[in-house]
Amino acid sequence: MTESPNITVRKMKKSDLAKINAVDNSLRGRNRVTTWPFSFDTYWRIYEPEICYVAELNGQVAGFIAGVIEKEERSKFLINQPRSVASPADDSPRVGWIEMMGVHADHWGRGVGLALIDAFTEECRKRNAMMRIVVRDDDEALKSFLIGRGFNRSIFVSYNKDPRQA
């Protein structure tokens, strides 16, 4: 798939799950994506994402990326949807959602994340899909990385409220 002198990106195999969990476990705390509160293998078994790549650095699994490509209406608010019972056309725009991504903490800054994003980008390019990812607003390092790869901030913002608190 994608190669650099020391990095190879390939499709994930079921036998990679333990190694991917090791990468995921290296990212506990502030550096772990908060949109998935469970391990990668649980995510993979529940959602069976169609796009899963691993990056190997010198033959060792150093990172992963997983997501799906779906019709654009998944990413729009209901208020913006047409008031019709007709289903969207099959040629409606598509969006490639990066749902989970991680690079082992020991391998940051070596191009692993770039290689993974490039592989996902190529898959989206083949299917004529734009790309989206949800990140924490305070994750400056990830936001800077994404901007450096051509992502732009969306106009949508998520607000949360815990009804158990006053």
Side-chain angles (χ1 to χ4, degrees):
M1 173 73 31
T2 301
E3 293 190 34
S4 79
N6 299 323
I7 301 169
T8 301
V9 177
R10 61 172 173 77
K11 293 246 183 202
M12 188 195 95
K13 301 178 286 192
K14 189 175 182 178
S15 60
D16 292 320
L17 284 174
K19 295 171 188 170
I20 292 171
N21 273 336
V23 171
D24 190 33
N25 289 335
S26 80
L27 302 174
R28 293 293 178 218
R30 219 174 167 274
N31 296 314
R32 184 167 189 287
V33 66
T34 58
T35 54
W36 302 110
F38 36 80
S39 67
F40 179 85
D41 67 342
T42 301
Y43 156 77
W44 187 78
R45 291 170 206 268
I46 292 171
Y47 296 103
E48 298 178 4
E50 65 180 287
I51 303 171
C52 290
Y53 293 109
V54 296
E56 293 179 329
L57 180 62
N58 298 319
Q60 301 295 314
V61 172
F64 65 91
I65 193 167
V68 296
I69 295 178
E70 295 184 342
K71 291 182 180 178
E72 186 178 33
E73 69 263 9
R74 172 186 177 191
S75 45
K76 291 185 177 179
F77 291 110
L78 284 176
I79 197 160
N80 293 330
Q81 295 302 305
R83 306 283 181 198
S84 167
V85 292
S87 53
D90 285 338
D91 63 346
S92 65
R94 299 195 174 279
V95 175
W97 283 94
I98 298 173
E99 293 184 329
M100 213 170 173
M101 178 181 176
V103 174
H104 195 287
D106 293 344
H107 301 299
W108 288 358
R110 296 185 181 173
V112 174
L114 295 174
L116 288 165
I117 288 286
D118 288 348
F120 199 92
T121 299
E122 182 57 29
E123 190 68 33
C124 289
R125 185 175 296 127
K126 287 179 193 174
R127 299 200 213 172
N128 197 28
M130 66 179 303
M131 294 169 54
R132 291 201 175 122
I133 183 172
V134 176
V135 300
R136 263 192 349 245
D137 194 41
D138 66 347
D139 191 336
E140 297 301 328
L142 182 54
K143 290 188 323 188
S144 177
F145 171 77
L146 292 170
I147 290 167
R149 299 305 304 154
F151 284 78
N152 298 306
R153 183 183 172 106
S154 169
I155 62 169
F156 300 109
V157 177
S158 174
Y159 287 85
N160 301 315
K161 178 180 179 179
D162 185 345
R164 299 169 294 182
Q165 297 177 355

